[in-house]
Amino acid sequence: MNAVGLVLGAALSVQFGSAVAALLFPQAGAAGVVALRLGIAAALLLAVCRPRIRGYGRGDWLVAAGFGVALAGMNGLFYQAIDRIPLGPAVTLEVLGPLLLSVVTARRAASWLWAALAAGGVALLGYQGFERLNLAGAGFALGAGAMWAAYIVFSARAGRRFPKTDGLALALTAAAVIALPIGIADAGTALLNPVTLGLGAVVALMSSVLPYSLELRALRSMPTTTFAVLMSLGPAIATLAGFLVLDQRLTTIELAAIALVIVASAGAVRTPPKTRDHNHEVVRTSQ
């Protein structure tokens, strides 16, 4: 499979994994499913990667901790969002976080035009009133977008400080430590149900382990800009997953809004930075 196929496979895995996760909400709640996903994914990566824990300084551990907080916040807020609003609009609102980060770091006037186009998409999404989408759900999705932007920043820093996938494994462990108490308090013994555990493992594999592996292989031969443009298809793939798995049907106006944000995201990441900025990196998604 070529690099483009790997990235598209990863995006399909992430969004359909989110749709499967939504099916678990009636049994374990959004917080419970987040705890299962992060806990199982962390256990799998720790077993496979066996990250080194000696030889790091205080700054390294602060980066790993910040990365973990971003992961926990991004996943927790996003699952709260898709518990309230359809998957496609949730991803559309969430992607505004990385989009704004791309606009700010590019420091180009053209970037603000892409931002305005995205704002138009959001305005269209709320044309019939955010009450239809649920105001709290929209707020959670926007919060997840802010945490996604933080995830990108911390992921880039962790990649420079930790070898191989050690930084991600340690950050996922920190995220699981944050999410597990909340999930246990919310879902209780429902998390021990064999069917729930099994589907939780499927979600962890589809939303974290499998896409990470596919994206890692793709990025060895693909420019990060091309990768980011393909990631801009996330809202469209999420809409498809919501329709096929959850029977979520959107209006023509909502579909047009999603298309505007996709175009804006692709345009923003294709706009070159004004000056070379080693801190600006586009990295894999982990919703």
Side-chain angles (χ1 to χ4, degrees), residues 159-174:
R160 292 191 292 269
R161 288 174 177 264
F162 296 91
K164 300 180 181 178
T165 57
D166 287 13
L168 179 67
L170 294 171
L172 266 174
T173 302

Side-chain angles (χ1 to χ4, degrees), residues 25 28-38 75-76 79-80 83 179-187 191:
F25 290 167
V33 177
V34 171
L36 282 177
R37 171 186 167 175
L38 293 178
N75 286 281
Y79 277 23
Q80 290 294 333
D83 192 28
L180 279 170
I182 300 172
I184 292 171
D186 184 50
L191 295 179

Side-chain angles (χ1 to χ4, degrees), residues 62-85:
L62 286 175
V63 167
F67 194 4
V69 170
L71 273 169
M74 179 177 66
N75 286 281
L77 291 170
F78 180 72
Y79 277 23
Q80 290 294 333
I82 64 174
D83 192 28
R84 293 168 170 81
I85 63 176

Side-chain angles (χ1 to χ4, degrees), residues 92-93 96 115-130 133 142 251 253-254 256-258 260-261:
T92 301
L93 292 171
L96 293 178
L117 185 63
V122 173
L124 266 183
L125 201 60
Y127 175 76
Q128 293 171 313
F130 271 113
L133 295 178
L142 290 171
T251 67
I253 289 176
E254 289 167 333
I258 291 171
L260 281 178
V261 175

Side-chain angles (χ1 to χ4, degrees), residues 85-208:
I85 63 176
L87 186 58
V91 175
T92 301
L93 292 171
E94 185 194 30
V95 83
L96 293 178
L99 171 62
L100 182 59
L101 181 64
S102 294
V103 169
V104 171
T105 54
R107 297 192 296 275
R108 292 274 189 183
S111 297
W112 292 103
L113 295 177
W114 296 120
L117 185 63
V122 173
L124 266 183
L125 201 60
Y127 175 76
Q128 293 171 313
F130 271 113
E131 292 79 8
R132 180 182 182 277
L133 295 178
N134 184 294
L135 190 59
F140 280 125
L142 290 171
M147 297 305 292
W148 192 358
Y151 163 86
I152 291 175
V153 173
F154 279 107
S155 179
R157 293 178 180 177
R160 292 191 292 269
R161 288 174 177 264
F162 296 91
K164 300 180 181 178
T165 57
D166 287 13
L168 179 67
L170 294 171
L172 266 174
T173 302
V177 169
I178 295 170
L180 279 170
I182 300 172
I184 292 171
D186 184 50
T189 57
L191 295 179
L192 301 178
N193 181 283
V195 175
T196 301
L197 279 173
L199 286 175
V202 170
V203 170
L205 287 169
M206 291 182 67
S207 299
S208 297

